[in-house]
Each structure stands twice: as C-alpha cells, then as structure tokens.
Amino acid sequence: MKTILVTDGMDSGAVAALEQAGFAVVQQFYPPETLGQALQTVDGVVVRSATKVRKVHLDAALETRRLKLIVRGGVGVDNIDVDYARANGIAVANTPNASSASVAELALAHMFSCARFISAAGHSMREGRWEKKAYGKGIELRGKTLGIVGYGRIGACLGQMAQALGMTVLAYRRNPPKDDPRFVSLDELLAKSDFVSLHTPDTGRPLMDGPTIAKMKDGAVLINTSRGANVDEAALLAALDSGKLRAAGLDVWAKEPTDNHPLYSHPRVSCTPHIGAATQEAQARVGQEVVQVITSFFAGENRPEHNK
C-alpha cells in the first residue's frame, strides 16, 4: 500500500477517494526541521503554500528513495525545489485549474473594497461610528482601466470578470501573443491603469518596488493576490501615506502570518490572510485534481509535469 502525506490539509472527499483507491493517507503538518525525516517514510506528499519542500528536505528523502511524487495543491510551485526534485527522480505536479476562479473573485472583491472603502467603513461601524461623509467619495469600477500583470489562468479569469463590469483591460506578460491589443509593456500598463492586479509567481525580488510604484497612475489601486514577495511593503506603505496610491488590496504578505501592523491596519488597505483559494468549491476541485494526479501516477499512466 502506498502512503500519501498531506501536510497542509485537503478536502475530506479527496482524502476518502484516495483511501477508497487503496492509498494510506496521513494528514500531518511538519515544521521544516522534521519534514525531511517524514518524507523518508512516504511515497507521495501533497502540500499547499504553508509547507516548503527544499533541497535539504529532498536530500533527507533521498536517503530512503521512497518518495516518488510531490503534488502542490494550487498553481505556483515556487515553494518546491522542482528542478532538484526531478533531477533526483522525484516527480512534481500541481493543480493549475482548480482555484483560478476563487482567486480572481477575491482580487475583484478587493477592487470593490478599495473603490468603496468597504473594509474601513465596515470596521468603523463595528466601533460605533457612522462616518457617511468620510466614506462618501467612492469610485465606480465601470469605465476604469484594469492592468493585469501576469495573464495566465487567474489573470485571464479576472480579465473576463472586469470586462463584464465595463472595465478596459490591459495585460502584461513576458511572452505576449501577437496582434492582441490588450498586451502592452509593463511601463505602459502602469501609466494607464486605474487598478493594477498582480498574478505572477515569486520573481525573486519585489516586482512592485519604489521606482515601479512611481510609474503607476496617481491615485491608482494596487491589488496583490499572487505572492507577498512581489511587493515591497515599505514602498507600498509610503505610496499610501503620500497619496500616490488611492488604496491597496492585499491577500498575500512578505511574511506570513504578517506582523506588518502599519500596513495591514492602514485605513486604505483592504486585507485578507492569504485566502485566495479558500472557497468550498476550489478546495473540492483541488482535491479532485490531486486524486487524479496521484492515482494516475501510481498506476503508471503518466509522469505529471507542473503547469504554469
């Protein structure tokens, strides 16, 4: 019997489906210092964003060479040392389709929140204040321009939603399709967009730092549901304080759980604790894709490759 370790939780229906298919499923989170040892005793592991599978963990797993498959329940695989794993005979797969709609909807929700002060106004009411005048200068999304940085599955899904609301959509990615007027340079996107939403993997450095934010349209809104490292939080805070940016909607943070109180408590920040894919529907779809990947892999049907 093959054993599958699930470190960051998984839909109960998916766990039941794996067990029905003959797998032993162990649901247990391991901190970094003990993860490698745990990987020595399992055939596959399913992770989300909390668990990071690095070279040191893979080296430990290779002592027994039992681990054959790592599945990321989600889109990005930047929390896994993919090349090193594959070079040592460990396959890596992800579930790129399952959570796109949920993340795109949350990005849109933050756009509405920033446009109409929903987060701040609701908080003030819970504190017993009726500040109608303070929050009476909202803006509409209709007629505005949304710039989407990283036009993959999630970005495209958000683009469709925005167009349905009457927004103009601009997009940027490294290898844009030819003859599509939506795709522009990053500088042009930043200069023309009323809202900028990030949907790229961790670039290894802040995609939005002080100089980049300075290129944004005055009074624009920045939305980040991608990776916390993509935004220089100090530069963002300065832009909010100076009025360069109208607001920001943040679901991801440089450090999680975040301790950046000045940023998450800022009156012009709409914030959530990394819940982009945390809907019932997305979790069910993630689980279904994970089950399909695992059962196909161990049945010898194919060798999965992660999708961008």
Side-chain angles (χ1 to χ4, degrees), residues 230-254:
N230 285 339
V231 173
D232 182 329
E233 293 184 348
L236 174 58
L237 184 60
L240 292 167
D241 285 340
S242 70
K244 167 65 180 178
L245 296 185
R246 171 189 175 86
L250 305 174
D251 182 51
V252 291
W253 308 82

Side-chain angles (χ1 to χ4, degrees), residues 117-132:
F117 308 105
I118 294 172
S119 179
H123 180 72
S124 70
M125 287 190 68
R126 286 189 289 274
E127 292 188 336
R129 303 194 304 274
W130 183 266
E131 299 181 316
K132 183 174 181 178

Side-chain angles (χ1 to χ4, degrees), residues 253-301:
W253 308 82
K255 174 186 176 183
E256 296 185 357
T258 181
D259 57 4
N260 194 339
H261 182 268
L263 185 59
Y264 69 70
S265 64
H266 196 283
R268 290 185 176 269
V269 170
S270 173
C271 54
T272 46
H274 203 154
I275 59 170
T279 64
Q280 297 177 23
E281 296 85 352
Q283 295 309 303
R285 290 192 296 267
V286 166
Q288 291 166 5
E289 284 196 44
V290 168
V291 170
Q292 183 178 17
V293 168
I294 291 174
T295 54
S296 296
F297 178 85
F298 286 107
E301 294 179 14

Side-chain angles (χ1 to χ4, degrees), residues 28-294:
Q28 175 69 49
F29 175 78
Y30 287 93
E33 58 268 21
T34 59
L35 178 61
Q37 185 177 358
L39 296 180
Q40 294 177 344
T41 62
V42 299
D43 303 280
V45 60
V46 180
V47 304
R48 296 299 300 269
S49 58
T51 297
K52 295 174 175 54
V53 186
R54 299 306 185 198
K55 180 178 180 295
V56 63
H57 308 121
L58 295 169
D59 283 339
L62 289 169
E63 292 181 16
T64 61
R65 293 198 171 272
R66 181 172 174 180
L67 182 68
K68 298 299 181 185
L69 174 65
I70 304 170
V71 183
R72 163 72 162 94
V75 180
V77 291
D78 45 287
N79 57 325
I80 302 168
D81 285 349
V82 176
D83 292 341
Y84 189 75
R86 289 182 175 156
N88 285 279
I90 301 171
V92 179
N94 62 347
T95 61
N97 301 308
S99 59
S100 297
S102 294
V103 178
E105 285 187 7
L106 182 64
L108 184 61
H110 277 298
M111 289 168 59
F112 275 115
S113 181
C114 291
R116 300 301 301 272
F117 308 105
I118 294 172
S119 179
H123 180 72
S124 70
M125 287 190 68
R126 286 189 289 274
E127 292 188 336
R129 303 194 304 274
W130 183 266
E131 299 181 316
K132 183 174 181 178
K133 289 185 178 180
Y135 300 119
K137 296 182 179 179
I139 59 175
E140 295 180 354
L141 298 190
R142 179 177 296 276
K144 301 299 189 296
T145 297
L146 168 63
I148 300 176
V149 182
Y151 206 78
R153 290 174 175 85
I154 298 171
C157 188
L158 176 61
Q160 292 173 353
M161 296 175 184
Q163 286 177 318
L165 290 170
M167 300 186 78
T168 298
V169 174
L170 298 178
Y172 168 79
R173 71 183 187 197
R174 290 184 178 179
N175 298 302
K178 296 179 180 180
D179 302 322
D180 188 333
R182 293 175 302 174
F183 286 87
V184 297
S185 70
L186 181 58
D187 283 355
E188 182 177 350
L189 181 147
L190 296 174
K192 292 183 176 180
S193 298
D194 302 291
F195 293 80
V196 173
S197 190
L198 307 182
H199 299 281
T200 66
D202 185 346
T203 59
R205 59 177 180 80
L207 177 65
M208 300 302 296
D209 55 14
T212 311
I213 292 174
K215 296 177 181 180
M216 293 177 66
K217 190 175 182 180
D218 289 347
V221 175
L222 178 63
I223 306 294
N224 188 16
T225 57
S226 60
R227 290 292 184 268
N230 285 339
V231 173
D232 182 329
E233 293 184 348
L236 174 58
L237 184 60
L240 292 167
D241 285 340
S242 70
K244 167 65 180 178
L245 296 185
R246 171 189 175 86
L250 305 174
D251 182 51
V252 291
W253 308 82
K255 174 186 176 183
E256 296 185 357
T258 181
D259 57 4
N260 194 339
H261 182 268
L263 185 59
Y264 69 70
S265 64
H266 196 283
R268 290 185 176 269
V269 170
S270 173
C271 54
T272 46
H274 203 154
I275 59 170
T279 64
Q280 297 177 23
E281 296 85 352
Q283 295 309 303
R285 290 192 296 267
V286 166
Q288 291 166 5
E289 284 196 44
V290 168
V291 170
Q292 183 178 17
V293 168
I294 291 174

